[in-house]
């Protein structure tokens, strides 16, 4: 990574952390881009070099989740049952959530409780479903245009992922008590119920 890239990453991180703190204290709707830029010590113009909107600040950490899931799915052993492969795939971002619960839990709650952010989150999930379905079709030698299974299976896996995120955000108490509900334990429980249907293809 070049010096310029490192500097850009540091500025993006500072903007993100500043924005999340403001959102947590004042509420998402109450905070303006001007306030985020001022608190971070940059101009409004600089803010828009990094983010298209304040919504993008919150959901930017979601961008890599789908890629991580697909990468993990592609790396699973070829003969592994679909349920096991998909469980490992969706567990990757959930493990990261659990490992950084104090930082991630307030963001997850903010997204789930703010209509504009929830809409963006669901847009991301729709893209992840297509990515996982495509990878699953390759693994199973299926034509995604002719087979219902890849999209159905990907949709089931992401429904479990979404359900676990919501349960985790509800069961973990406040941020200080984050970790009372382990997202990895929850996702294993969810897939125990889904496995018979996923592996019946």
């Amino acid at each position: 990574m070049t010096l310029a890239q490192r500097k850009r990453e540091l500025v993006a991180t500072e903007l993100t952390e500043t924005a999340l703190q403001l959102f947590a204290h004042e509420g998402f709707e109450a905070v303006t881009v001007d306030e985020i830029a001022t608190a971070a010590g940059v101009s409004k113009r600089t803010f828009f070099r990094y983010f298209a909107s304040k919504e993008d600040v919150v959901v930017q950490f979601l961008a890599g989740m789908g890629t991580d899931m697909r990468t993990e799915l592609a790396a699973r052993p070829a003969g592994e049952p679909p349920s096991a492969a998909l469980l490992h795939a969706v567990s990757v971002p959930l493990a990261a959530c659990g490992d950084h619960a104090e930082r991630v839990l307030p963001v997850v709650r903010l997204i789930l409780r703010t209509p504009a952010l929830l809409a963006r989150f669901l847009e991301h999930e729709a893209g992840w479903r297509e990515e996982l379905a495509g990878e699953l079709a390759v693994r199973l030698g299926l034509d995604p245009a002719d087979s219902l299974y890849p999209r159905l299976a990907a949709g089931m896996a992401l429904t479990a992922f979404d359900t676990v995120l919501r349960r985790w955000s509800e069961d973990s108490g406040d941020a200080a008590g984050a970790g009372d509900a382990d997202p990895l334990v929850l996702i294993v429980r969810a897939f125990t119920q889904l496995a018979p249907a996923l592996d019946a293809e």
Side-chain angles (χ1 to χ4, degrees):
M1 187 181 291
T2 67
L3 181 61
Q5 288 172 323
R6 285 200 298 271
K7 182 178 178 182
R8 183 176 177 81
E9 188 175 278
L10 285 172
V11 173
T13 299
E14 179 63 24
L15 282 169
T16 300
E17 295 296 335
T18 299
L20 293 179
Q21 288 180 21
L22 288 171
F23 295 151
H25 287 97
E26 300 178 29
F28 178 77
E29 299 297 342
V31 177
T32 66
V33 169
D34 283 323
E35 289 173 327
I36 296 169
T38 299
V42 301
S43 68
K44 186 176 179 180
R45 184 175 178 180
T46 296
F47 174 91
F48 284 117
R49 283 199 207 110
Y50 291 85
F51 301 102
S53 66
K54 67 178 186 178
E55 287 87 352
D56 281 343
V57 180
V58 181
V59 300
Q60 61 92 24
F61 81 97
L62 295 172
M65 281 188 173
T67 300
D68 291 344
M69 289 182 196
R70 181 167 187 170
T71 299
E72 179 64 19
L73 183 58
R76 299 308 302 169
E80 190 171 52
S83 65
L86 285 166
L87 171 59
H88 284 287
V90 299
S91 292
V92 172
L94 290 175
C97 287
D99 289 344
H100 303 92
E102 289 188 4
R103 179 176 178 272
V104 175
L105 186 56
V107 180
V108 170
R109 285 186 175 139
L110 188 65
I111 290 171
L112 296 179
R113 297 172 184 177
T114 307
L117 298 179
L118 180 57
R120 294 291 301 278
F121 175 69
L122 294 176
E123 285 176 16
H124 277 281
E125 278 197 335
W128 301 344
R129 184 174 61 248
E130 294 305 308
E131 291 179 6
L132 289 178
E135 185 58 45
L136 196 57
V138 170
R139 286 175 58 84
L140 299 174
L142 299 173
D143 182 346
D146 294 331
S147 176
L148 294 175
Y149 178 79
R151 280 193 177 135
L152 283 171
M156 290 168 67
L158 287 173
T159 296
F161 172 84
D162 185 78
T163 301
V164 165
L165 270 189
R166 292 172 187 272
R167 177 71 176 271
W168 179 56
S169 73
E170 294 164 358
D171 286 0
S172 293
D174 34 61
D180 295 340
D182 186 336
L184 289 181
V185 172
L186 293 174
I187 197 65
V188 169
R189 285 170 53 192
F191 267 78
T192 297
Q193 298 179 55
L194 293 179
L198 287 170
D199 294 337
E201 186 271 329

